[in-house]
Amino acid sequence: MMYDSKITSMHLDVLKEIGNIGAAHAATALSTLLNKKIDMKVPKVEMVSFDDMMDLAGGPESVVAGIYLRIEGDVTGSMFFVLPVEQANRFIRRLVQDENFDFQTGEVSELGASAMQELGNILSGSYLSALSDFTHLKIYPTVPALSVDMVGAIISFGLVELSHVSDYVIVIDTAINEEDVPNEESVKGHFFLLPDPESFDAIFKALGVN
Amino acid sequence: MNEQGQIVKVGIADMNIAKAPDKIRTSGLGSCVGVVLYDERSTTVGMVHVMLPDSSLGRTEVINIAKFADTGIPAMVEQLKIEGIQPYKLKAKIAGGAQMFQFSSTRDTMRIGPRNVEAVKEYLKKYSIPIVAEDTGGNSGRTIEFDPTTKLLNIRTVNQGVRNI
């Protein structure tokens, strides 16, 4: 099995390119949706401990709106799109035109929740279809699920599968930012793509990497 | 004046021991279960952050014993024994095991929270360690902090506030 010890820096570079392609498409989709320029930061691809993964996501207790979906097909794994909750609120307020919308009130309107889910759907869908086009691998995302909670509680769910084989995770991380707005108001999300360990072989093989 | 303690942190799939006046904390528990083992008369306590129910699920040669209920609990009992605490005096408080996402899927992984809780209870029972208090299940993330002086487990959630058990 190719994990932990067998992953080289060249492999990580290949995964980074994968993240680049996927996230570029997602950024384009978001730009269209918001009618604004969206800036994408070159993805970070690292092998990190579970605790470091939580820190990448902003620390285990930071509150986020998290979209989770499973990937099925030739490649399996977990995918997250997380937004700090204040930014998710601002975004959904704009989309559903309800100034009082707030994920943190506990009782979230169905419209707002499904708007958030749809956002996750559009972004992760464009991310994954770019990936599928590029690798010619069959990738089927499940319907995304939404949770607004501590990022540690949300992300650890995606670590369950690979925690069977490792204490480390390869994170394909992409930050996505809205341009030309004050920093604190811009949409700042993260994609985390966590392929299951046995999927790395399929990815590398599809790309002709040994 | 009370002596000010530090906070001993327990990471994911990790375990540790704290002595008063220090407190012990683990953050952002989702489907994982935080298990606190303590003796009413001692101010030395242990905490395990269990991620999976059973080490037979592990497919690596060297396993991280704190990750699994069936290995983490015995290991903590042993560590406390070294600290001079007899296993028959131990009590437990547990929290976590939430289902963070609602799916229609029946995949086993999706039920990992409840399975972790069941496994933790099973192994505590094996050691005849009574569960004094628990806050498990639901669909909220939890941060828990145990105070070895008061033996109270403080539980913080995003939507349901803070409580002590």
Side-chain angles (χ1 to χ4, degrees), chain A residues 65-72 77-82 117 120 124 142-147 154-161 192 194 196, chain B residues 100-103 107 109-110:
Chain A
I67 297 285
Y68 166 83
L69 55 93
R70 275 296 291 174
I71 301 164
E72 313 279 353
S78 295
M79 185 165 189
F80 291 94
F81 176 63
V82 297
Q117 237 154 323
S124 51
T142 62
V143 175
L146 167 70
S147 177
I154 288 176
I155 298 271
S156 59
F157 188 76
L159 300 176
V160 166
E161 199 67 39
F192 294 114
L194 312 173
D196 290 344
Chain B
M100 297 305 298
F101 295 95
Q102 310 305 319
F103 293 98
R107 279 176 62 90
T109 317
M110 306 305 177

Side-chain angles (χ1 to χ4, degrees), chain A residues 82-93:
Chain A
V82 297
L83 270 180
V85 72
E86 300 78 16
Q87 296 186 2
N89 281 343
R90 203 169 309 133
F91 192 93
I92 299 304
R93 277 174 203 152

